[in-house]
């Protein structure tokens, strides 16, 4: 069957782009096999957690009001704890985003006089405001007497010597960001996280190790809380929601820290006991069940995009055969115009809002203009195919998500066609 011939009925893809696609898909087969192995292990992990906790139909019935005695919520927490190999978990519709889950984790672990030491350089943009290192938003951690120090990565790795120098007596919490964020570096692998924690533990006892796990879930067979992290958090409209969770965040970690996180989210004394689920538990758990598969699809697409843009002469990070610990594919564009053309292409290939033209805007929480291309079923969901970029030099574009590998492939092909038609892609 001539697949390309049949595709012609639905999408226009020029012959030169088609040939490139055909070659690249062949070249990345081995990579796909490796990804399938990780997927299988993670699917088994999630399935086993659900079986062990005796997940049942009645857990999907939601509560209203205070949400006392919500068996579905409690079971969800226990399932997440098992999947992440942690003592406890807080999975809530009331955690409005990844930033909120991370902020709640910081509030759980820190008290006035404490210092946060980030060992992976500058944290994600929205956390700069939370920590009070940019913007001066009311309620930031500096207002509560929490200080911040950072050690930049050295050649993409944690700088152990630098960490030693910055380890002042007030340092209470070691912060690590697993994903690239708006940067050009490899994601921190689980092995990197493990080594970093065991090194720092030798320097000082009693520290809290926290990981921003956004975009990292199910990329490897283990999660940060399985290799020594005391607390980790992320968003349910990224990897662990499997594209089905409609909103929400999660925090996993040590029992006392999760208790404090619950107190920070609700109120001291209320803790984990309150929080109506309003019928959302089914989508959280069905999403978690699908997540290992969806994440694997997204990684396949990222590997494909990496290879195809590299073949077209772009710098990419990670490169096609590199290990991955987040779903982000960074591509370096030559000009702002070329980057915007790329984003227009991704938008055009979306199932929702494909007719919309994305423009850069002053997004709340970010220190510069940002362009976001996304046409998702869930607003802002970046486990669905999306691209974003800060508008500043160098012009890095970040591609992530895709609920199915086929959509990613089509999305990239539509994007290349769009860039070619707009004159931003020169094929030989
Ligand atoms: C997305 C993300 C966040 C913030 O999550 P939101 O849900 O957008 O608030 C924090 N850190 C990293 C690394 C992220 O990718």
């Amino acid at each position: 069957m001539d697949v390309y011939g049949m595709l012609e009925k639905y999408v226009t893809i020029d012959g030169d782009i088609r040939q490139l696609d055909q070659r690249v898909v062949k070249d990345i087969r081995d990579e796909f096999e490796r990804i399938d192995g990780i997927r299988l292990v993670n699917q088994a992990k999630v399935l086993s957690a659900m079986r062990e906790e005796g997940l049942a139909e009645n857990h999907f019935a939601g509560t209203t009001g205070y949400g006392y005695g919500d068996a579905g919520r409690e079971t969800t927490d226990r399932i997440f704890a098992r999947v992440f190999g942690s003592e406890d978990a807080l999975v809530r519709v009331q955690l409005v985003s990844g930033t909120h889950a991370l902020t709640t984790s910081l509030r759980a672990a820190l008290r006035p006089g404490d210092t946060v030491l980030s060992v992976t350089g500058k944290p994600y943009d929205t956390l700069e405001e939370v920590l009070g290192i940019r913007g001066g938003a009311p309620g930031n951690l500096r207002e509560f007497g929490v200080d911040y120090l950072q050690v930049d990565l050295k050649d993409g790795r944690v700088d152990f010597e630098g960490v030693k120098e910055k380890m002042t007596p007030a340092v209470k919490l070691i912060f690590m960001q697993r994903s690239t964020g708006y940067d050009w570096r490899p994601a921190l692998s689980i092995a990197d996280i493990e080594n970093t924690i065991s090194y720092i533990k030798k320097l000082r006892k009693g520290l809290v190790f926290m990981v921003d796990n956004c975009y990292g879930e199910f990329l490897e067979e283990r999660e940060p809380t399985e290799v020594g992290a005391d607390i980790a958090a992320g968003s349910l409209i990224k990897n662990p929601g499997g594209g089905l969770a409609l909103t929400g965040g999660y925090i996993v970690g040590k029992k006392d820290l999760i208790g404090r996180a619950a107190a920070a989210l609700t109120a001291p004394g209320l803790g984990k006991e309150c929080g109506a689920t309003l019928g959302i538990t089914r989508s959280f758990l069905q999403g978690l069940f699908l997540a290992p598969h969806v994440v694997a699809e997204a990684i396949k697409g990222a590997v494909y995009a990496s290879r195809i843009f590299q073949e077209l002469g772009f710098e990419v990070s990670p490169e096609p055969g590199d290990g991955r610990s987040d779903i982000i594919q960074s591509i370096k564009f030559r000009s702002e115009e070329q980057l915007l053309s790329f984003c227009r292409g991704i938008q055009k290939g979306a199932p929702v809002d494909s007719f919309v033209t994305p423009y850069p805007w002053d997004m709340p929480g970010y220190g510069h203009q940002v362009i976001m291309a996304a046409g998702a079923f869930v607003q802002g969901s970046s486990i669905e195919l999306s691209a974003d970029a800060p508008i500043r030099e160098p012009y890095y574009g970040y591609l992530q998500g895709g609920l199915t590998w086929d959509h990613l492939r089509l999305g990239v092909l539509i994007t290349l066609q769009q860039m070619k038609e707009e004159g931003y892609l020169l094929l030989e």
Side-chain angles (χ1 to χ4, degrees):
M1 181 181 70
D2 176 15
V3 172
Y4 291 109
M6 298 186 74
L7 276 179
E8 235 163 66
K9 189 169 162 198
Y10 307 103
V11 282
T12 306
I13 303 160
D14 290 351
D16 44 6
I17 297 176
R18 251 189 257 170
Q19 277 169 16
L20 186 61
D21 169 75
Q22 201 164 20
R23 201 167 66 232
V24 164
V25 168
K26 267 206 195 102
D27 284 350
I28 55 181
R29 270 192 200 142
D30 289 351
E31 245 353 86
F32 276 27
E33 218 165 287
R34 203 180 55 79
I35 295 164
D36 288 345
I38 297 170
R39 178 184 66 187
L40 181 63
V41 172
N42 283 320
Q43 188 68 70
K45 201 183 205 184
V46 169
L47 174 63
S48 136
M50 291 178 172
R51 293 171 62 204
E52 302 257 352
E53 290 302 334
L55 181 62
E57 166 78 24
N58 67 294
H59 292 138
F60 302 137
T63 49
T64 57
Y66 294 131
Y68 286 133
D70 188 318
R73 185 186 66 217
E74 289 164 7
T75 304
T76 304
D77 284 349
R78 286 198 297 271
I79 288 171
F80 267 73
R82 277 189 192 272
V83 167
F84 286 85
S86 61
E87 289 177 11
D88 204 355
L90 188 69
V91 187
R92 291 293 180 279
V93 62
Q94 289 84 4
L95 287 167
V96 303
S97 66
T99 303
H100 188 200
L102 290 158
T103 304
T104 306
S105 308
L106 290 166
R107 287 181 182 145
L110 296 161
R111 292 298 176 265
D114 289 343
T115 293
V116 175
L117 176 61
S118 168
V119 299
T120 49
K122 195 180 78 60
Y124 191 77
D125 297 58
T126 55
L127 290 183
E128 290 184 284
E129 293 211 38
V130 171
L131 291 159
I133 54 181
R134 178 174 57 78
N140 69 65
L141 285 170
R142 237 177 235 288
E143 280 191 0
F144 288 87
V146 171
D147 232 328
Y148 172 80
L149 291 172
Q150 106 183 17
V151 179
D152 289 334
L153 293 169
K154 206 167 153 186
D155 308 320
R157 311 301 283 261
V158 175
D159 172 10
F160 286 171
E161 283 308 306
V163 171
K164 215 170 179 177
E165 280 165 28
K166 293 262 170 82
M167 189 62 76
T168 64
V171 170
K172 174 70 191 293
L173 182 141
I174 303 294
F175 181 87
M176 281 168 274
Q177 180 181 305
R178 182 171 175 185
S179 165
T180 306
Y182 284 141
D183 209 338
W184 185 265
R185 64 150 169 109
L188 213 61
S189 70
I190 291 293
D192 289 338
I193 292 172
E194 186 169 31
N195 293 338
T196 303
I197 294 175
S198 71
Y199 172 81
I200 298 176
K201 270 195 172 153
K202 280 185 214 130
L203 296 180
R204 166 97 59 85
K205 298 239 172 326
L207 293 166
V208 173
F209 291 89
M210 171 173 163
V211 175
D212 173 351
N213 207 27
C214 284
Y215 284 139
E217 301 90 350
F218 302 127
L219 264 283
E220 300 188 46
E221 295 89 342
R222 294 180 302 167
E223 295 295 331
T225 33
E226 294 175 83
V227 298
D230 299 303
I231 190 164
S235 164
L236 292 186
I237 62 166
K238 293 182 180 173
N239 306 13
L244 288 188
L246 298 177
T247 182
Y250 77 90
I251 307 172
V252 289
K254 292 266 163 64
K255 198 159 189 69
D256 62 319
L257 285 169
I258 295 300
R260 283 168 180 267
L265 174 66
T266 62
L270 300 185
K272 291 186 81 180
E273 305 298 316
C274 283
T277 49
L278 310 166
I280 207 161
T281 309
R282 184 194 307 273
S283 77
F284 280 8
L285 290 173
Q286 196 175 1
L288 178 70
F289 185 70
L290 289 181
H293 182 84
V294 170
V295 169
E297 297 284 287
I299 314 168
K300 286 178 179 176
V303 170
Y304 168 77
S306 175
R307 183 74 189 220
I308 215 163
F309 276 96
Q310 188 178 58
E311 294 247 336
L312 288 164
F314 291 86
E315 275 182 64
V316 293
S317 172
E319 296 196 14
D322 289 348
R324 285 171 189 259
S325 204
D326 72 8
I327 60 168
I328 297 180
Q329 181 58 49
S330 319
I331 303 154
K332 187 176 170 186
F333 293 94
R334 298 182 189 101
S335 65
E336 179 175 335
E337 289 69 33
Q338 193 182 42
L339 169 65
L340 298 184
S341 172
F342 166 76
C343 291
R344 282 192 290 273
I346 294 293
Q347 186 75 41
K348 197 174 171 185
V352 183
D353 291 339
S354 57
F355 49 86
V356 164
T357 305
Y359 288 96
W361 66 300
D362 296 305
M363 194 165 156
Y366 294 80
H368 39 72
Q369 285 213 316
V370 176
I371 184 165
M372 299 220 160
F377 293 97
V378 173
Q379 187 199 90
S381 167
S382 42
I383 187 61
E384 298 185 47
L385 180 57
S386 48
D388 44 38
I391 302 299
R392 64 184 178 205
E393 269 189 281
Y395 297 106
Y396 296 141
Y398 301 91
L399 178 75
Q400 67 265 317
L403 296 178
T404 69
W405 140 239
D406 292 309
H407 177 220
L408 261 152
R409 182 175 177 182
L410 290 169
V412 168
L413 291 174
I414 290 167
T415 300
L416 293 180
Q417 182 72 26
Q418 171 84 4
M419 290 176 77
K420 186 182 172 192
E421 283 170 16
E422 290 185 2
Y424 292 110
L425 194 68
L426 299 174
L427 290 138
E428 72 273 12

